[in-house]
Amino acid sequence: MTKHLVARANLTVLIMLIAVLALVGGATWNQIDMARSARLWTQRANDVLLTIKDLNIALRDAETGQRGYLLTGRDTYLSPYNSSIAHVTRLAGKLQRLANDDSIERDSIAALDPILQKKLEELAQTIVLRRTVGLDAALTAVNTDAGRNYTVAIVAILDKMTQHENIVLAQHQQTADTRAIRVRWLVISGIVLAAIALVWAARMLNRAWSNAYVLEAQQRQVASQLRASLDSLTQGVGVFSPSRQLVNWNACFQSLLKLPKALVRNGTSYTTLVDYLAESEGEFLETEAQLRLSRPKRNESIVYSRHCSDGSQVEIRRSPMPDGGFILTLTDMTKRAQAEAVLRESQKMQAIGQLTGGIAHDFNNLLTVVLGNLELVNSKLANAPDLQKKIERASWAARRGATLTAQLLAFARKQPLSPKPIDLATALPDLVPLLTRTLGEHIDIRYVERAGLWPAMADAAQLENAVLNLALNARDAMPDGGRLTIETANVVLDEEYARLHSEVTPGDYTMVAVSDTGHGMRPEIVSRVFEPFYTTKAEGKGTGLGLAMVFGFVKQSGGHVKIYSEVDAGTTVRLYLPRSIEEAQATSTQSIEPVVMPSSAATILVVEDEAAVREVTIAILKDFGFKVISAADGEEGLRLLGTHIGEIDLLLTDVMLPGELRGRDLAQRVAALRPDVPVLYMSGYTENSIVHHGRLDDGVNLIGKPFSRDNLIRRIVGILQDSASTSATNDEPSGGNVVSLKSWPG
Ligand SMILES: Nc1ncnc2c1ncn2[C@@H]1O[C@H](COP(=O)(O)OP(=O)(O)OP(=O)(O)O)[C@@H](O)[C@H]1O
Ligand SMILES: [Mg+2]
């Protein structure tokens, strides 16, 4: 646009210049021509007029000479006549020559000539008459007035010629004036046009200039925006010219390459940077030879990454530019690599969790069958103590398997938890006697008291388990004795901490730290301790599930666990449990009381899809004198309820039933028909309808598989007793559907 305007302005000025020059040249030429012609015409007219005047004078002189002679008769008076006569003839000739180019003058001269001749003849005649005849004869001739008439006619012709010449002269002058005026106007118009054109050209130049100014301002703005963008990047950018000299860069370019300021300036050669970095970092940037060998195509880049001596990691990208130069883009990959490692670790743990959770579920069903049958057989072998011993051993192994499965479920974050507000300031000191007994004399246990501790939200039994696991690990790390310290603190984990640790929600936490003065761990061990089955202990000494359980439990409770360890110095494991907004309730110490069996048999509807589990459950229940109705799925259970509607006192159902009716649906249908029938769920796996976010729904009774005979009976009797006392407080039955329960003693 600007270029176009400037070109147009240039062309206009050029055309105007040529036009004005042509105009001025033409006008000047015309003026010169006119002046020359005017000068010639004026000269000619003056000559003609002068000749006419001279002719007049010469004629008068000739007449004067003639008169003088006629009066005196003396020849001396004839001298003017004599000199004038020749003069008259000469002047007449001259006049003819001068005025020959004018037809009117030519006519006048043609008329003048004969009269002039006659006049001259008349003069000569009178002079001859005076000389030869005498004065009178001469006067007679004069008095004829012929001479005078000739003179009058000559003067009239000469006057006419004079007049004509004056007119011609005036005409020429007028023409010259007119032409001069025209030329003047022409010049004025030319000047005005030139001025307009110049103004127009100036306007165009002005526009071009302001366009250029705006463009320049825009370019300056774009340049400053680019500069700011470049400097705001967290990537380092260095631009190299085709001759491989640094021409542009940002602050990160210098900081990521850790280059001295003096080296980062316009014109620094690429080789200088390569050599400088080679000294401190070894082979870092591509060498000149490598640059020559690998020339990426347009829109392609060469990417490579380097580990710096300070442990950071940089990705370097070389992208070609159309002019033959290239751009180096440096990205700090340290944080991303760390974040990826954290993510990978958490994904790995989740994957292992899912796998182990699935295995644990199936395993629990099998263990239920094994344990149940062993216990049944055991109860029948009162007379064979040897066999009973063997059965006991098999039961012990099965229970051990159940503990492992429970730990696996804990790691998989799939154990049913009943989180409640816990006051750690009382719960932890309560544990100390148990720990002292378990860990042995050689370990000095210290509990550091702390005032104003926030209540924590967690499952108290599982927390005890976790602390016990940590204490056992500490004991194993201190075979020659040492100190175990249990501390607590209120901790606020902020956004920054949460950003650096996956699965951490910022907020208030109550922290329990278990520290030992044992042999500690190397970092590569620390990075793996939460994996299930990871153990450094000798075969048979450790399962590698202790910390996995702790990890799963804390995560399932919405907390966070962190481990710090120094080889030969000791280890600290910190459990961060979410702060409870409610205050902790005083915990009632659970005492295992003997089960009081009902005096008359209650009827239990057992719904379980696994035949072996169903059979052993039925056998246990029957062994304790309960009446049992059993079903393999929800639909069958519902049918049986219909046929035995008044008989059933308790529904014992698996949570995960095949078919449309799951355990919970079945319980709801039973509640609709018989609201007084309590429900006990069985489950080997908790990711289902009665456990939400790792917590049992309120009012839900659940027994985890595998269960022991005693546990099952204790739960059933407990539920039946609760149910009986509830219905006893409800004075009267409320409707026809309600069937009064048999009385349960105790
Ligand atoms: N306090 C500690 N000091 C040193 N090493 C520890 C400590 N706690 C755990 N470890 C290391 O972590 C590994 C895993 O611990 P974890 O509790 O998960 O399994 P384990 O103790 O080996 O087996 P288990 O707990 O089933 O008996 C241990 O084998 C041990 O190497
Ligand atoms: Mg352990």
Side-chain angles (χ1 to χ4, degrees):
M1 174 69 181
T2 307
K3 213 171 135 193
H4 182 64
L5 281 174
V6 171
R8 263 167 66 187
N10 277 340
L11 192 70
T12 309
V13 169
L14 188 72
I15 289 173
M16 271 301 122
L17 204 69
I18 293 170
V20 168
L21 275 179
L23 197 74
V24 170
T28 312
W29 182 262
N30 189 282
Q31 201 69 11
I32 292 169
D33 197 39
M34 234 164 57
R36 196 171 138 265
S37 151
R39 186 171 48 77
L40 286 176
W41 271 103
T42 312
Q43 196 182 354
R44 178 194 158 280
N46 281 340
D47 280 356
V48 170
L49 288 173
L50 209 65
T51 310
I52 288 170
K53 194 174 139 210
D54 285 352
L55 192 60
N56 259 328
I57 293 167
L59 267 176
R60 218 170 293 142
D61 284 353
E63 264 187 337
T64 309
Q66 177 227 22
R67 302 262 165 82
Y69 182 72
L70 287 184
L71 286 174
T72 61
R74 286 162 51 189
D75 278 345
T76 44
Y77 282 90
L78 270 180
S79 60
Y81 168 80
N82 287 335
S83 61
S84 298
I85 287 299
H87 204 46
V88 165
T89 314
R90 199 169 41 83
L91 287 170
K94 187 180 173 186
L95 196 60
Q96 195 173 16
R97 261 193 336 271
L98 283 173
N100 204 27
D101 55 353
D102 186 325
S103 62
I104 293 174
E105 296 288 56
R106 223 172 21 242
D107 291 349
S108 295
I109 288 167
L112 179 70
D113 254 4
I115 300 171
L116 200 61
Q117 283 307 317
K118 282 187 180 142
K119 176 67 188 179
L120 289 178
E121 279 169 13
E122 184 262 335
L123 286 175
Q125 242 179 353
T126 52
I127 290 170
V128 170
L129 280 176
R130 174 72 174 88
R131 189 176 287 150
T132 57
V133 182
L135 178 64
D136 290 337
L139 285 176
T140 309
V142 168
N143 282 332
T144 58
D145 285 345
R148 190 176 161 272
N149 290 339
Y150 289 142
T151 305
V152 169
I154 287 168
V155 168
I157 290 173
L158 286 179
D159 280 350
K160 190 185 158 203
M161 281 183 77
T162 305
Q163 257 176 7
H164 177 71
E165 265 325 298
N166 280 331
I167 288 168
V168 169
L169 197 61
Q171 274 175 348
H172 274 285
Q173 265 168 358
Q174 199 180 358
T175 313
D177 282 351
T178 314
R179 281 175 71 180
I181 287 169
R182 218 180 286 152
V183 166
R184 195 168 64 207
W185 278 116
L186 211 63
V187 169
I188 288 172
S189 319
I191 288 170
V192 168
L193 264 177
I196 290 172
L198 282 176
V199 166
W200 193 65
R203 233 186 105 229
M204 271 193 291
L205 281 176
N206 205 24
R207 262 176 64 196
W209 180 81
S210 45
N211 277 354
Y213 181 81
V214 169
L215 265 174
E216 201 185 306
Q218 280 173 349
Q219 276 171 353
R220 265 203 307 274
Q221 198 185 3
V222 168
S224 85
Q225 281 169 349
L226 280 176
R227 182 77 254 165
S229 315
L230 211 60
D231 282 338
S232 72
L233 287 179
T234 50
Q235 288 181 312
V237 178
V239 183
F240 289 84
S241 67
S243 57
R244 293 184 190 144
Q245 285 179 324
L246 187 63
V247 288
N248 221 328
W249 63 91
N250 66 355
C252 263
F253 181 75
Q254 187 197 339
S255 61
L256 278 177
L257 289 180
K258 298 167 202 77
L259 294 170
K261 241 191 180 118
L263 217 55
V264 187
R265 56 187 164 71
N266 218 330
T268 302
S269 74
Y270 178 75
T271 326
T272 313
L273 300 184
V274 173
D275 293 344
Y276 175 82
L277 287 168
E279 274 177 33
S280 55
E281 302 285 347
E283 192 187 314
F284 201 83
L285 291 178
E286 290 172 291
T287 58
E288 278 281 350
Q290 286 170 322
L291 285 196
R292 274 195 297 276
L293 275 175
S294 61
R295 285 172 191 272
K297 290 193 200 116
R298 254 184 110 170
N299 302 330
E300 278 181 7
S301 305
I302 300 275
V303 184
Y304 52 99
S305 48
R306 294 281 189 258
H307 286 277
C308 306
S309 50
D310 63 359
S312 59
Q313 199 181 333
V314 181
E315 184 191 84
I316 303 164
R317 176 181 293 268
R318 172 164 59 90
S319 318
M321 287 203 298
D323 67 355
F326 59 87
I327 303 174
L328 280 193
T329 314
L330 313 166
T331 314
D332 187 355
M333 303 300 283
T334 322
K335 280 196 179 139
R336 195 199 286 185
Q338 282 169 351
E340 278 173 1
V342 168
L343 186 69
R344 257 199 315 277
E345 187 59 23
S346 125
Q347 283 171 341
K348 183 179 83 181
M349 293 301 242
Q350 271 180 14
I352 299 174
Q354 263 175 5
L355 191 73
T356 49
I359 294 170
H361 169 242
D362 289 342
F363 221 69
N364 276 337
N365 269 342
L366 300 177
L367 287 171
T368 311
V369 179
V370 174
L371 260 178
N373 283 306
L374 285 174
E375 283 179 337
L376 271 178
V377 173
N378 200 19
S379 66
K380 313 284 178 221
L381 291 176
N383 305 328
D386 276 2
L387 282 176
Q388 259 187 337
K389 235 185 196 159
K390 290 201 164 53
I391 297 280
E392 288 286 331
R393 288 203 69 120
S395 295
W396 174 85
R399 273 197 299 276
R400 180 91 191 101
T403 313
L404 291 181
T405 319
Q407 280 179 321
L408 275 179
L409 276 177
F411 168 72
R413 309 178 202 180
K414 288 188 171 106
Q415 63 178 337
L417 294 179
S418 305
K420 296 207 169 56
I422 313 173
D423 179 12
L424 292 174
T426 53
L428 291 173
D430 285 353
L431 261 182
V432 173
L434 171 73
L435 292 180
T436 316
R437 277 197 307 280
T438 319
L439 302 190
E441 291 295 311
H442 64 302
I443 298 205
D444 171 25
I445 301 176
R446 288 200 183 171
Y447 173 75
V448 183
E449 251 178 67
R450 197 185 182 289
L453 196 66
W454 295 329
M457 187 55 122
D459 183 314
Q462 293 305 321
L463 178 63
E464 268 181 29
N465 249 342
V467 174
L468 193 66
N469 263 313
L470 297 180
L472 289 174
N473 281 349
R475 178 199 64 191
D476 296 344
M478 303 184 286
D480 304 324
R483 186 187 304 136
L484 173 91
T485 313
I486 300 176
E487 291 169 276
T488 50
N490 296 332
V491 177
V492 179
L493 299 184
D494 59 13
E495 298 275 352
E496 178 64 15
Y497 188 89
R499 209 168 48 76
L500 292 174
H501 297 83
S502 81
E503 296 188 297
V504 171
T505 317
D508 293 349
Y509 290 84
T510 313
M511 190 269 293
V512 182
V514 179
S515 312
D516 63 57
T517 52
H519 54 59
M521 287 174 270
R522 292 193 307 279
E524 59 270 26
I525 295 182
V526 174
S527 67
R528 298 196 56 192
V529 288
F530 293 125
E531 286 177 23
F533 305 111
Y534 177 78
T535 179
T536 56
K537 292 174 187 166
E539 189 88 17
K541 292 270 184 212
T543 57
L545 281 174
L547 286 179
M549 170 263 156
V550 171
F551 178 82
F553 154 67
V554 175
K555 289 284 174 191
Q556 194 181 340
S557 306
H560 170 61
V561 54
K562 191 94 188 138
I563 194 158
Y564 303 89
S565 192
E566 280 281 334
V567 175
D568 295 333
T571 303
T572 299
V573 182
R574 294 201 172 125
L575 311 183
Y576 297 85
L577 299 166
R579 176 187 182 176
S580 162
I581 41 169
E582 298 164 44
E583 283 304 313
Q585 306 285 318
T587 47
S588 60
T589 43
Q590 281 184 350
S591 58
I592 301 169
E593 289 168 18
V595 182
V596 182
M597 289 307 294
S599 60
S600 63
T603 307
I604 296 174
L605 173 59
V606 176
V607 187
E608 165 66 61
D609 56 313
E610 287 277 338
V613 178
R614 192 171 62 241
E615 276 164 26
V616 76
T617 311
I618 295 168
I620 293 170
L621 293 174
K622 282 192 172 159
D623 210 31
F624 274 83
F626 290 104
K627 287 184 194 153
V628 180
I629 302 169
S630 69
D633 57 34
E635 282 80 10
E636 192 187 350
L638 211 57
R639 244 191 345 270
L640 288 173
L641 181 79
T643 49
H644 302 272
I645 187 104
E647 297 165 34
I648 290 167
D649 300 307
L650 185 134
L651 169 67
L652 175 65
T653 175
D654 191 16
V655 177
M656 303 295 281
L657 287 176
E660 290 285 293
L661 280 180
R662 297 288 172 117
R664 192 181 176 89
D665 308 320
L666 176 66
Q668 278 168 356
R669 303 285 278 272
V670 170
L673 295 169
R674 287 277 313 274
D676 55 303
V677 170
V679 181
L680 176 60
Y681 291 98
M682 304 179 274
S683 178
Y685 192 66
T686 61
E687 202 177 49
N688 51 46
S689 51
I690 57 164
V691 178
H692 291 110
H693 310 296
R695 307 176 55 154
L696 280 175
D697 289 352
D698 283 342
V700 165
N701 298 308
L702 175 78
I703 184 161
K705 288 181 194 169
F707 38 76
S708 70
R709 213 164 64 113
D710 285 0
N711 257 347
L712 179 66
I713 299 305
R714 199 182 298 278
R715 290 298 298 273
I716 287 178
V717 171
I719 293 167
L720 286 172
Q721 282 170 349
D722 284 352
S723 173
S725 59
T726 320
S727 69
T729 51
N730 292 341
D731 295 326
E732 275 159 20
S734 55
N737 267 349
V738 179
V739 178
S740 66
L741 282 170
K742 294 161 190 123
S743 61
W744 296 96

